[in-house]
């Protein structure tokens, strides 16, 4: 799969290079951790990408720290583990960094007051992660079927103890939730407005593109006229929190992703090494197009190209 | 109610002046039409503001054209008439310019193809106005309770003949509507994305502020990453369409409103004369504050201040 590299040129901003075996070996030697985007890198829809389990096993055998990031907030880390296991991937919940976890970790990082609670627009993943951090919460799936019966003079009550509204993807978004979130953010002094991510599209099924959490956040933003704090990709918080949690320096980390404008940009803005795989949404033609201004350090067809460094004969 | 005017100074950009009887007479002589914002000018919530019916009668007796604009899209013009009638106001449906009507008028103005249809996110007002223009539509209240049952490989079907998505305030917003709107806008070539308005808040009841159509538009914008065409206040289309429809020149029209950043700015940007009333959200202190940069031609306590020009003795 690996095509010979063009003449080495490490200058920042240069066009991306297809990784040679030497490039890959040098990268793997240099970094102590890999952050992987999942969809398009580890799996496509419900199928693991060819050679991924062996590649992860090889990196583990080399004592590399592996972190799997996802902007999916509908599941907790523990909930998301099932997807890895079902695909035959040997991963622990602690290696998964979901945007639902990021929301809870953000609140923990700012010492969210214990007498305050969170109003959740989103599904069970956010609730489970808040529970694990001991943060009180209301809303979420319990408000899925709530409707507002209007009569003259009616005011929808809202809890004055809500100190943060966390908005994640929510297939049961409704006006009750939008209005409650709006009231908490607008009327509770200091109430935070936190978005797990702003992704326009999400992958409910592979058959079409589905409106993502950009829709839920957009609804509340359109009513409160305020920008949210974003904790998932490509927010700086997620990267800073991963580095702190695993005791890593930025220059020890390589970001591996399939999207230039999210994964690779996220890595570069955070001071990481970057590798693009062509097994997801980005084609080689798009990467090499003169109008593309985002260049990973290296690119390869798919993650398992890395296996070539294992197969290479050892010098005697 | 009318306080003596400061020394006359008609220079553009000067501080607003409280209208003297002479100012008001001069304004009424000069213009042949008045565009009124409703809430805070004509009524507050469910009560007509003191003296408004008599003032409107006086202006009609002077052969002035009266137009009542509202960003409320949940009712058609005919539907909105009931509110005027119930408050004892003598108004015809043709004098009401709602954002639901604006959406239909916009589609008419661009010769929306007869073989295309509209997907409606919104309530019955938009549908009724589209019916009156003979424009086919789907969605709206019929999609209020629709849910998406996911299974692997499922794709939500959408109608390829949808040539425009019109988004108005919708208390029954849900993920089915958001995803259908997203699919039509993203996948139907040339499909328009039209917002009746972008108001962050609306007046469902007077007891609190309610999330407005900014929420519904924000949801779809967050999924399609495109800005909508806005047809209601403060969009230029509404003003241009009113002027055309009633055969008016801009310099013959006076905009009367209670909000500086919407009504007065809307009037000024459109080349109209402007009058602010203090019977709504703007206080005299806010108007005269040095940091306020939006100055109507004149201001008065409430619309009925205009009655002083009727009561004045005729010169003999």
């Amino acid at each position: 799969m690996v095509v010979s590299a063009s003449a080495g040129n490490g200058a920042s901003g240069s066009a991306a290079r297809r990784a040679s075996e030497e490039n890959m070996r040098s990268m793997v030697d240099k970094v102590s951790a890999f952050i992987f985007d999942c969809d398009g890198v580890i799996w496509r829809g419900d199928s693991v990408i060819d050679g991924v389990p062996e590649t992860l096993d090889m990196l583990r055998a080399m004592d590399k720290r592996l972190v799997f990031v996802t902007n999916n907030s509908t599941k907790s880390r523990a909930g998301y583990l099932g997807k890895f296991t079902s695909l035959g991937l040997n991963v622990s919940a602690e290696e998964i960094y979901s945007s639902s976890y990021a929301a809870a970790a953000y609140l923990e990082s700012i010492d969210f007051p214990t007498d305050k609670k969170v109003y959740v627009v989103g599904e069970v993943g956010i609730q489970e992660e808040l529970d694990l951090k001991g943060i009180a919460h209301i809303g979420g799936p319990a408000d899925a079927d709530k409707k507002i019966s209007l009569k003259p003079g009616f005011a929808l009550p809202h809890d004055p103890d809500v100190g943060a509204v966390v908005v994640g993807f929510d297939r049961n978004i409704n006006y009750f939730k939008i209005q409650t979130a709006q009231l908490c953010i607008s009327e509770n002094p200091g109430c935070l407005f936190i978005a797990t991510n702003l992704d326009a599209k999400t992958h409910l099924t592979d058959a079409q593109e589905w409106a993502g959490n950009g829709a839920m956040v957009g609804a509340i933003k359109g009513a409160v006229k305020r920008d949210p704090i974003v904790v998932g990709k490509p927010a700086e918080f997620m990267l800073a929190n991963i580095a702190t949690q695993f005791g890593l320096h930025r220059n020890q980390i390589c970001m591996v992703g399939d999207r230039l404008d999210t994964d690779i940009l996220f890595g570069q803005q955070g001071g990481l090494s970057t590798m693009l795989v062509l097994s997801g949404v980005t084609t080689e033609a798009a990467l090499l197009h003169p109008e593309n201004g985002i260049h990973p350090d290296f690119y390869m067809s798919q993650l398992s190209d890395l296996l070539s460094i294992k197969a290479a004969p050892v010098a005697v």
Side-chain angles (χ1 to χ4, degrees), chain A residues 135-182:
Chain A
I135 298 170
H137 54 86
I138 58 174
D143 288 350
D145 296 318
K146 290 201 179 156
K147 299 208 175 201
I148 294 170
S149 298
L150 282 184
K151 52 189 174 188
F154 176 73
L156 183 68
H158 76 283
D159 190 328
D161 293 333
V162 169
V165 172
V166 173
V167 184
F169 180 76
D170 189 338
R171 256 196 297 158
N172 292 306
I173 186 72
N174 60 32
Y175 188 66
F176 178 94
K177 295 182 185 184
I178 294 169
Q179 173 63 1
T180 301
Q182 182 275 116

Side-chain angles (χ1 to χ4, degrees), chain A residues 250-269:
Chain A
R250 305 292 178 104
N251 60 9
Q252 296 177 292
I253 308 173
C254 179
M255 174 76 209
V256 187
D258 71 320
R259 287 177 189 265
L260 291 166
D261 59 348
T262 54
D263 303 324
I264 301 304
L265 199 59
F266 169 64
Q268 290 181 335
Q269 288 177 343

Side-chain angles (χ1 to χ4, degrees), chain A residues 144-313:
Chain A
D145 296 318
K146 290 201 179 156
K147 299 208 175 201
I148 294 170
S149 298
L150 282 184
K151 52 189 174 188
F154 176 73
L156 183 68
H158 76 283
D159 190 328
D161 293 333
V162 169
V165 172
V166 173
V167 184
F169 180 76
D170 189 338
R171 256 196 297 158
N172 292 306
I173 186 72
N174 60 32
Y175 188 66
F176 178 94
K177 295 182 185 184
I178 294 169
Q179 173 63 1
T180 301
Q182 182 275 116
L183 289 169
C184 293
I185 295 168
S186 303
E187 301 193 1
N188 290 359
C191 183
L192 301 173
F193 173 22
I194 296 170
T196 60
N197 67 88
L198 301 177
D199 296 2
K201 302 295 190 311
T202 191
H203 298 279
L204 293 188
T205 70
D206 295 333
Q208 68 182 188
E209 290 210 297
W210 294 86
N213 192 37
M216 291 80 212
V217 176
I220 292 159
K221 187 176 161 180
V224 302
K225 298 285 180 205
R226 242 170 75 179
D227 283 317
I229 298 160
V230 182
V231 295
K233 281 189 299 176
E236 166 60 19
F237 170 75
M238 186 182 249
L239 196 51
N241 194 243
I242 289 173
T244 302
Q245 191 173 320
F246 296 112
L248 298 165
H249 290 288
R250 305 292 178 104
N251 60 9
Q252 296 177 292
I253 308 173
C254 179
M255 174 76 209
V256 187
D258 71 320
R259 287 177 189 265
L260 291 166
D261 59 348
T262 54
D263 303 324
I264 301 304
L265 199 59
F266 169 64
Q268 290 181 335
Q269 288 177 343
L272 314 187
S273 299
T274 55
M275 289 210 294
L276 181 85
V277 291
L278 300 178
S279 49
V281 299
T282 306
T283 62
E284 190 168 23
L287 172 67
L288 300 178
H289 195 281
E291 285 186 12
N292 168 41
I294 304 172
H295 306 293
D297 293 323
F298 300 108
Y299 70 96
M300 54 185 123
S301 295
Q302 54 184 33
L303 191 63
S304 61
D305 287 2
L306 278 178
L307 288 171
S308 66
I309 67 171
K310 185 185 182 188

Side-chain angles (χ1 to χ4, degrees), chain A residues 105-165:
Chain A
Y106 178 77
L107 290 167
E108 183 183 48
S109 77
I110 61 165
D111 294 322
F112 187 68
T114 52
D115 60 343
K116 293 286 183 187
K117 62 187 82 160
V118 171
Y119 182 74
V120 177
V121 177
E123 305 192 5
V124 69
I126 297 168
Q127 296 183 307
E128 290 178 4
E129 294 294 354
L130 292 174
D131 283 340
L132 288 169
K133 299 283 190 199
I135 298 170
H137 54 86
I138 58 174
D143 288 350
D145 296 318
K146 290 201 179 156
K147 299 208 175 201
I148 294 170
S149 298
L150 282 184
K151 52 189 174 188
F154 176 73
L156 183 68
H158 76 283
D159 190 328
D161 293 333
V162 169
V165 172

Side-chain angles (χ1 to χ4, degrees), chain A residues 1 38 40-44 46-56 87 89 277 279 300-307:
Chain A
M1 286 283 194
C38 296
V41 178
I42 304 298
W43 58 63
R44 266 191 302 263
D46 289 327
S47 307
V48 71
I49 292 173
D50 184 43
V52 164
E54 298 86 334
T55 313
L56 299 182
L87 293 173
L89 294 162
V277 291
S279 49
M300 54 185 123
S301 295
Q302 54 184 33
L303 191 63
S304 61
D305 287 2
L306 278 178
L307 288 171

